[in-house]
Amino acid sequence: MPRLVVVSNRVAIPDPEGPRQAGGLAVAVNAALKHREGLWFGWSGEISDEGANNRPKIIERRQRSFVTIDLSPTDHQEYYNGFANRVLWPILHYRVDLAEFTAVDLGGYLRVNGRFADALSGFIRPDDWIWVHDYHLLPLARELRARGHDNPIGFFLHIPCPPPDILMALPQHAETLGTLGHYDLVGAQTEHDAENLRHYFERQGASFNRNRTSFDIDGRRVQLRAFPVAIATRVYARTARSAIRSDFANEVRDSLAGRRLILGVDRLDYSKGITHRIQGFSQFLEVYPEWRQHVTFLQVTPKSRIEVPEYADINHTVNTLIGEVNGRFGVPAWTPIRYVNRAYSRASLAALYRMAAVGLVTPLRDGMNLVAKEYVAAQNPENPGVLVLSQFAGAAEELDGALLVNPHEPEAIAAAIDGALKMPLAERQARHRRMYRHLAANDIDRWAERFLAALAESRQPVTLFDNLRQLFQVRVGK
Ligand code: G6P
């Protein structure tokens, strides 16, 4: 098996005891590297005056190498805070209204991608496979090719991909999104996202094969498919089973004093719909007063990207709204919403998921949302909780046992919470069983295998047999 070189902006060095790194990417990549010889390259998380000119730091752990570089204050500002998180992030989450484009930030983004390629170059062996992750590094394949690396290079987009009319609001999109045409394989979270990206490339002059799984552009061939990201389902279920007996879990359970727990777990981000969720919860207390004092809504929300102004705004809005709801419905012996900004270990989160009668996962837009999958995996199959899930999370394409809601409709969130709390045991079990089976059969190992098999395939010469097979598949409507 060739060595796998993974590249992403963040690098999470495994530490089961420590707080987990926010966001689904770290979880997925860590698991993908589990059974392989690998190298994970990215930003150290440090900002230093020398930036990428500092020597890369190398850490060896569990037969894997973690290689990281620093960013200079300017690089960090323009590439990470600027273009990645004030332009690409909002636009790819359908929020063109929040995008703040500057040519300087775009320049910084392209420059840092070049620096990543410079620093990584010396570590790449000719037979490595390279797997690049997420929107920070769209042009990395072009940069690596320009430095003479002919390795198979795949790209996976962890966040949503909107239709071309939205994508094309991105100034000079050919310089960023368009450079995805330098990869051998591009993966999206859902078929819906993949199809949006196909439409974009069609508008850029790409021609697709018959079953639309690959396209030719500027003399290159690129595979483009959906690979819904997953979790280590059985491992997570085991973690939850033992974590529920921990001191942490007992303390939380005691503090609930018999009240049913409604749980939200999200990075503090406007795409997560936290304000809409609080409004939905407020509506729930208003319309179903019989639940007052019988439920506790715990929202766990680690902060990230705090230097980006839109994140300071959402922080303020969420704090204010929670204060209003607690002020309005709370009584001396009961606070409706508990809000914590800490990140918790995987085990602690698993315990909270298992304890929660309702998992509220209601993003306005989300690539996949692994919290939804973890919530299902963590449940006690004998007495499972109910997942309330936004129709705009990628996970909604798979989790058909969830109560799907439109997060823009507080009345719908309120009714779903009530429905979840009242749902009979047999129905809860049946819904959970269906979803758990799906997650066990489609776990993170399978995700990585499917992606890497497709990457290997992307380098196979196309034979007459392949063409015939494809033609046959299209004819029989596969
Ligand atoms: C999302 C993104 C990841 C990112 C994570 C945390 O999951 O897809 O690429 O790492 O959020 O965001 P941060 O800006 O703190 O890395």
Side-chain angles (χ1 to χ4, degrees), residues 8-10 21-26 43 80 85 89 93 133-136 157-159 189 267 269 272 303-305 311 366:
S8 59
N9 177 57
R10 295 255 184 209
Q21 184 130 6
L25 181 148
W43 174 37
Y80 175 79
N85 286 320
W89 179 272
H93 283 86
H133 292 260
D134 235 359
Y135 59 101
H136 312 86
L157 182 66
H158 287 255
I159 66 175
Q189 291 278 23
R267 219 166 30 75
D269 195 298
K272 301 292 183 186
K303 291 185 186 178
S304 75
R305 308 178 196 169
Y311 288 75
D366 216 330

Side-chain angles (χ1 to χ4, degrees), residues 56-304:
K57 293 188 201 86
I58 306 173
I59 296 176
E60 302 288 343
R61 189 156 302 171
R62 298 188 200 150
Q63 294 165 342
R64 269 181 258 156
S65 314
F66 296 84
V67 181
T68 57
I69 55 170
D70 295 350
L71 291 177
S72 72
T74 311
D75 285 349
H76 180 251
Q77 188 52 35
E78 295 172 4
Y79 150 82
Y80 175 79
N81 283 337
F83 194 74
N85 286 320
R86 286 198 91 186
V87 180
L88 288 174
W89 179 272
I91 291 182
L92 291 172
H93 283 86
Y94 296 64
R95 294 298 304 270
V96 179
D97 59 311
L98 293 181
E100 293 289 339
F101 173 82
T102 71
V104 171
D105 288 345
L106 172 60
Y109 178 82
L110 297 174
R111 185 179 65 241
V112 170
N113 269 268
R115 292 197 170 147
F116 264 56
D118 283 338
L120 176 60
S121 252
F123 293 91
I124 297 176
R125 302 177 196 151
D127 56 351
D128 284 342
W129 288 2
I130 303 172
W131 188 355
V132 179
H133 292 260
D134 235 359
Y135 59 101
H136 312 86
L137 301 170
L138 300 167
L140 194 66
R142 181 179 66 182
E143 297 298 325
L144 291 171
R145 300 281 185 231
R147 286 159 182 77
H149 299 291
D150 187 39
N151 307 54
I153 312 182
F155 177 85
F156 185 77
L157 182 66
H158 287 255
I159 66 175
C161 184
D165 280 347
I166 294 184
L167 291 173
M168 286 159 87
L170 177 64
Q172 302 181 44
H173 51 82
E175 278 300 291
T176 50
L177 268 178
T179 62
L180 287 177
H182 291 260
Y183 288 90
D184 295 291
L185 170 66
V186 173
Q189 291 278 23
T190 64
E191 196 40 53
H192 183 69
D193 296 316
E195 196 53 23
N196 284 337
L197 203 49
R198 290 185 190 116
H199 287 310
Y200 169 78
F201 274 104
E202 261 161 357
R203 293 223 201 153
Q204 308 309 304
S207 56
F208 276 81
N209 66 346
R210 278 166 173 274
N211 58 8
R212 294 175 69 72
T213 53
S214 75
F215 64 89
D216 291 330
I217 193 161
D218 302 332
R220 293 180 303 268
R221 173 151 302 177
V222 185
Q223 311 287 322
L224 171 50
R225 290 167 44 189
F227 300 89
V229 79
I231 59 167
T233 312
R234 290 189 181 83
V235 177
Y236 206 78
R238 260 202 309 279
T239 304
R241 269 202 302 277
S242 61
I244 197 71
R245 294 190 295 266
S246 64
D247 291 346
F248 169 81
N250 287 334
E251 202 180 322
V252 177
R253 201 184 298 99
D254 289 349
S255 77
L256 292 173
R259 296 188 178 99
R260 315 271 299 274
L261 178 64
I262 300 169
L263 179 66
V265 177
D266 313 81
R267 219 166 30 75
L268 184 59
D269 195 298
Y270 48 81
S271 66
K272 301 292 183 186
I274 301 171
T275 53
H276 297 68
R277 188 179 312 162
I278 296 164
Q279 274 151 359
F281 180 69
S282 171
Q283 182 79 15
F284 162 77
L285 295 178
E286 174 75 47
V287 179
Y288 306 95
E290 64 276 20
W291 287 114
R292 290 182 201 169
Q293 302 194 46
H294 297 291
V295 295
T296 293
F297 173 24
L298 169 62
Q299 176 65 44
V300 177
T301 300
K303 291 185 186 178
S304 75

Side-chain angles (χ1 to χ4, degrees), residues 443-460:
D443 68 358
I444 191 67
D445 291 340
R446 175 120 195 275
W447 173 75
E449 278 157 22
R450 283 187 59 227
F451 188 93
L452 293 172
L455 185 58
E457 218 175 273
S458 71
R459 280 302 181 97
Q460 303 295 322

